[in-house]
């Protein structure tokens, strides 16, 4: 029947974080211009790390970037604990090595090149992690910074279009 077929919507042109015109898609990673970034690809695959609080309190955590390109899923091995998430926009900074108070205290028992601290904005506790390798630390640190930079380079309209459910969080964190 005529007119009953779904017509494909023409792709809109927009500027990505680098100021280059590109076609807008439904894929947030393409819109951020990070679909080919090796650091982001590593984050999308996920990594198992140790969350470190003391010499005796070290728990395995799996961190994985979700397909929206801004949310990191942090899962415990315990079946009764609910998974936690955070937005890369909630991160104040990422520190490589034994840079936090906790990791400095444990520096003699941890390989410094495998340590990473994610410092959050506001009152949330920092996340001290021990990765399997130096490369894994670098992928996560660079990946979070890249994603933050790309989201910061988006206009308010682009943020609202791309992340309608998280728009309030993203807009308030930046101010």
């Amino acid at each position: 029947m005529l007119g009953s077929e779904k017509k494909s919507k023409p792709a809109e042109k927009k500027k990505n974080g680098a100021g280059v015109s590109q076609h807008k898609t439904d894929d947030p990673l393409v819109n951020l211009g990070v679909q080919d970034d090796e650091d982001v690809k590593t984050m999308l695959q996920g990594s198992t790390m140790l969350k470190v609080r003391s010499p005796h309190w070290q728990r395995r955590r799996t961190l994985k970037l979700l397909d929206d390109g801004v949310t990191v899923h942090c899962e415990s091995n315990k079946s009764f604990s609910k998974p936690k998430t955070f937005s890369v926009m909630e991160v104040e900074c990422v520190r490589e090595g034994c840079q936090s108070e906790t990791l400095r205290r444990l520096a003699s028992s941890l390989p410094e090149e495998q340590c990473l601290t994610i410092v959050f904005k506001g009152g949330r506790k920092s996340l001290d992690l021990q990765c399997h390798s130096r490369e894994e630390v670098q992928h996560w640190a660079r990946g979070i910074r890249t994603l933050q930079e790309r989201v910061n380079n988006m206009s308010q309209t682009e943020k609202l279009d791309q992340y309608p459910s998280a728009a309030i969080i993203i807009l308030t964190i930046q101010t």
Side-chain angles (χ1 to χ4, degrees), residues 2 6 15 30-31 47 50 73 75 80 89 91 102 117 119 149:
L2 286 174
K6 286 188 176 180
K15 290 193 176 193
V30 171
N31 291 335
S47 300
L50 284 179
H73 179 83
E75 191 172 315
F80 62 86
M89 299 314 295
V91 176
T102 300
T117 299
V119 180
E149 180 182 321

Side-chain angles (χ1 to χ4, degrees), residues 4-28:
S4 64
E5 292 181 29
K6 286 188 176 180
K7 294 181 181 178
S8 61
K9 199 166 124 181
E12 296 177 40
K13 280 198 168 186
K14 71 173 201 93
K15 290 193 176 193
N16 67 10
V20 177
S21 184
Q22 68 180 24
H23 291 286
K24 183 179 178 186
T25 70
D26 289 336
D27 185 347

Side-chain angles (χ1 to χ4, degrees), residues 49-53 58 94-118 127-142 145:
M49 307 174 191
L50 284 179
K51 180 177 177 180
V52 180
R53 289 243 176 107
Q58 298 180 10
V94 182
R95 299 178 182 156
E96 297 175 52
C98 295
Q99 301 296 317
S100 71
E101 186 179 323
T102 300
L103 292 177
R104 277 194 298 269
R105 275 195 325 257
L106 301 172
S108 61
S109 62
L110 295 172
E112 181 163 355
E113 70 278 356
Q114 293 179 4
C115 293
L116 172 72
T117 299
I118 299 175
L127 185 57
D128 293 316
L129 301 164
Q130 180 185 354
C131 299
H132 289 289
S133 68
R134 176 187 182 124
E135 292 76 25
E136 191 173 42
V137 168
Q138 292 172 338
H139 282 304
W140 278 88
R142 285 190 309 243
R145 290 178 192 128

Side-chain angles (χ1 to χ4, degrees), residues 31-103:
N31 291 335
L32 288 170
V34 294
Q35 71 277 11
D36 295 324
D37 187 285
E38 289 303 316
D39 299 323
V40 173
K41 284 181 181 179
T42 298
M43 293 172 70
L44 285 165
Q45 290 173 358
S47 300
T48 300
M49 307 174 191
L50 284 179
K51 180 177 177 180
V52 180
R53 289 243 176 107
S54 74
H56 304 290
W57 198 104
Q58 298 180 10
R59 304 290 189 268
R60 195 171 308 281
R61 297 290 183 261
T62 302
L63 273 69
K64 183 178 182 192
L65 179 68
L66 299 183
D67 291 335
D68 68 0
V70 294
T71 306
V72 176
H73 179 83
C74 183
E75 191 172 315
S76 161
N77 291 342
K78 295 184 179 182
S79 58
F80 62 86
S81 71
K82 70 177 192 177
K84 294 180 172 63
T85 60
F86 65 87
S87 166
V88 295
M89 299 314 295
E90 294 175 68
V91 176
E92 184 175 314
C93 67
V94 182
R95 299 178 182 156
E96 297 175 52
C98 295
Q99 301 296 317
S100 71
E101 186 179 323
T102 300
L103 292 177

